[in-house]
Amino acid sequence: MDYEAFFQVELDALKEDGRYRIFAELERKAGSFPRARHYAEDGVGDVTVWCSNDYLGMGQHRKVLDAMHATLDACGAGAGGTRNISGTTHAHVVLEAELADLHGKEAALLFTSGYVSNWAALGTLAARLPNCVVLSDELNHASMIEGIRHSRAECLRFKHSDPDDLDRKLAQIDPARPKLVAFESVYSMDGDIAPIAEILDVCERHGALSYLDEVHGVGLYGPRGGGVAEERGLMDRITVIEGTLGKAFGVMGGYIAASAALCDFIRSFASGFIFTTALPPALAAGATASIRHLKASGWERAQHHARVAQVRRRLDAIGIPTIDNPSHIIPVMVGDAKKCKMISDWLLEQHGIYVQPINYPTVPVGTERLRLTPSPVHTDGDVDRLVDALSEIWSQCALARRAMAA
């Protein structure tokens, strides 16, 4: 077999379909978010980033940077090993205690990313609970799907955010059999929010463990940034809350928060935790500083919600089609992979606006979109430039608009 030819044919097919992914080479400017330098073949230019998951701009917050600098100077660069072999530093222990407190749980456990925390925790629970069956929301993130798949446990998918379908499926399972229900709070592509209380009602009725992915909720919702479950007063009813340090908290890493026994169980059996180098202590210290700040400060969340509402109003007023949802994510619907990429390229080249196109397999074919994530660090001028540019390119591409708002 000509392996190189095979690779090229597959890549060419992606390009023909408009689904080939090109990474924008950026250099974010601390103190000037959402500004970044864009490195391209024809030179270097300044751009405004409209698709970052650093939702609150905490990646440049002075408290976060000071904590990271101080820990870097005191402890050096890396952790020096796995958590089991010399890699558990004081910064890791402090951060895990902070996360447990954030979610009102007995314990928390750190991982190197949100992807790994889902893969390791779900994979370990489903594999080691005897004859476990997992019930997974049909739109769960790839990391959850891969963890469940890796466990080789039986998996039943229930209709997206549908407690009645979940109830029907659970009712057909032997009541004595271990059951694990996995779902998300905020779904990152459509921006919808799960009916968490209703799903928990079903879990409790059937004696199922609940596993909630809050990666797009932590920091952003709730009086202390504990997520949608905190906002709705539901954290104590959830078996496992999983989150990330790489989005609203502005740093890097993933975690679970749960009972002391469950966290110790994952710590003791999950290969994705045991056999990987621990996060650098400076990252752990930065995350702790970010969490502590957002526990006490509601300013960032209030500004964030206000900016999201402003962008929604402005886009609605000019008929740009978006998915109506209650979250902070604004999907601008294009519906064509090639046009989606063309619009993204045009915004970048003509206006210095960076919004990555979202195509299959991240979203279904025919639902291609630009995923906007307004933040407190965007200005009124940034919003004006974005809205004007989108209006211009929408007309150029002869794309349909909604009825104009009055």
Side-chain angles (χ1 to χ4, degrees):
M1 181 177 185
D2 186 338
Y3 298 109
E4 294 298 318
F6 171 78
F7 300 149
Q8 196 58 56
V9 167
E10 293 294 301
L11 291 170
D12 288 343
L14 285 178
K15 293 175 181 177
E16 178 63 26
D17 292 343
R19 295 190 288 112
Y20 182 73
R21 299 182 180 194
I22 296 173
F23 298 159
E25 184 180 343
L26 304 174
E27 184 179 272
R28 301 208 296 165
K29 297 182 179 181
S32 300
F33 290 3
R35 309 286 178 261
R37 292 180 69 76
H38 175 229
Y39 291 80
E41 291 182 1
D42 58 352
V44 181
D46 292 335
V47 298
T48 301
V49 179
W50 273 98
C51 54
S52 174
N53 283 338
D54 186 356
Y55 293 127
L56 300 177
M58 292 301 294
Q60 67 175 355
H61 197 281
R62 192 71 258 163
K63 290 181 182 178
V64 175
L65 299 185
D66 287 348
M68 294 185 72
H69 280 297
T71 305
L72 183 65
D73 290 340
C75 303
T82 65
R83 290 292 298 274
N84 183 50
I85 305 176
S86 83
T88 294
T89 72
H90 181 62
H92 295 101
V93 175
V94 170
L95 175 54
E96 286 174 337
E98 202 69 47
L99 289 165
D101 174 77
L102 176 66
H103 294 293
K105 298 296 184 185
E106 292 179 338
L109 191 65
L110 274 174
F111 295 85
T112 51
S113 73
Y115 190 105
V116 173
S117 56
N118 269 335
W119 181 85
L122 281 169
T124 302
L125 286 170
R128 298 195 70 92
L129 285 167
N131 198 29
C132 179
V133 57
V134 181
L135 293 101
S136 175
D137 188 288
E138 65 182 357
L139 292 188
N140 275 343
H141 189 264
S143 58
M144 304 173 79
I145 295 168
E146 288 299 325
I148 296 164
R149 184 178 294 154
H150 177 74
S151 75
R152 299 188 178 182
E154 181 183 356
C155 179
L156 303 175
R157 295 201 309 168
F158 63 93
K159 294 177 182 177
H160 178 52
S161 290
D162 188 335
D164 292 334
D165 189 51
L166 174 63
D167 188 46
R168 286 190 293 270
K169 286 181 166 58
L170 281 169
Q172 296 170 5
I173 300 169
D174 182 348
R177 190 175 177 186
K179 296 168 284 290
L180 174 61
V181 175
F183 62 110
E184 302 180 39
S185 59
V186 181
Y187 287 84
S188 63
M189 288 301 114
D190 286 352
D192 56 312
I193 297 179
I196 300 173
E198 291 82 353
I199 290 175
L200 293 176
D201 289 343
V202 175
C203 291
E204 291 161 0
R205 187 154 57 243
H206 294 278
L209 300 177
S210 54
Y211 183 105
L212 179 66
D213 177 319
E214 279 263 40
V215 298
H216 293 277
V218 292
L220 301 175
Y221 301 92
R224 298 199 310 159
V228 179
E230 184 196 26
E231 184 177 73
R232 298 180 179 181
L234 300 170
M235 290 194 299
D236 62 314
R237 295 176 59 189
I238 301 165
T239 311
V240 182
I241 296 173
E242 184 267 348
T244 184
L245 306 170
K247 292 184 170 60
F249 293 130
V251 191
M252 179 186 175
Y255 66 89
I256 60 168
S259 69
L262 191 150
C263 287
D264 198 13
F265 179 82
I266 301 299
R267 182 190 72 88
S268 300
F269 290 108
S271 64
F273 176 84
I274 295 169
F275 296 107
T276 192
T277 301
L279 283 173
L283 286 177
T288 298
S290 181
I291 293 163
R292 285 176 175 170
H293 176 79
L294 290 174
K295 280 180 178 177
S297 173
W299 182 88
E300 290 83 3
R301 284 186 288 277
Q303 291 296 111
H304 182 233
H305 297 324
R307 187 64 75 194
V308 170
Q310 177 191 23
V311 174
R312 285 189 188 282
R313 286 194 305 270
R314 295 287 302 277
L315 293 177
D316 286 346
I318 61 171
I320 298 295
T322 63
I323 295 179
D324 186 20
N325 63 51
S327 79
H328 58 283
I329 294 164
I330 305 178
V332 174
M333 303 307 291
V334 179
D336 180 278
K338 292 181 178 179
K339 284 187 176 180
C340 198
K341 184 180 184 309
M342 183 190 74
I343 292 171
S344 174
D345 290 345
W346 185 87
L347 289 172
L348 187 61
E349 294 163 5
Q350 300 298 318
H351 292 276
I353 292 171
Y354 171 53
V355 190
Q356 185 71 13
I358 307 294
N359 298 329
Y360 179 85
T362 306
V363 295
V365 173
T367 68
E368 292 82 4
R369 66 199 64 182
L370 304 174
R371 179 180 174 274
L372 299 179
T373 53
S375 74
V377 294
H378 287 100
T379 67
D380 289 341
D382 293 332
V383 176
D384 289 341
R385 287 185 287 274
L386 172 72
V387 172
D388 290 346
L390 282 174
S391 182
E392 182 180 340
I393 190 62
W394 230 255
S395 297
Q396 288 183 19
C397 292
L399 289 166
R401 300 190 190 226
R402 288 179 175 169
M404 302 294 185

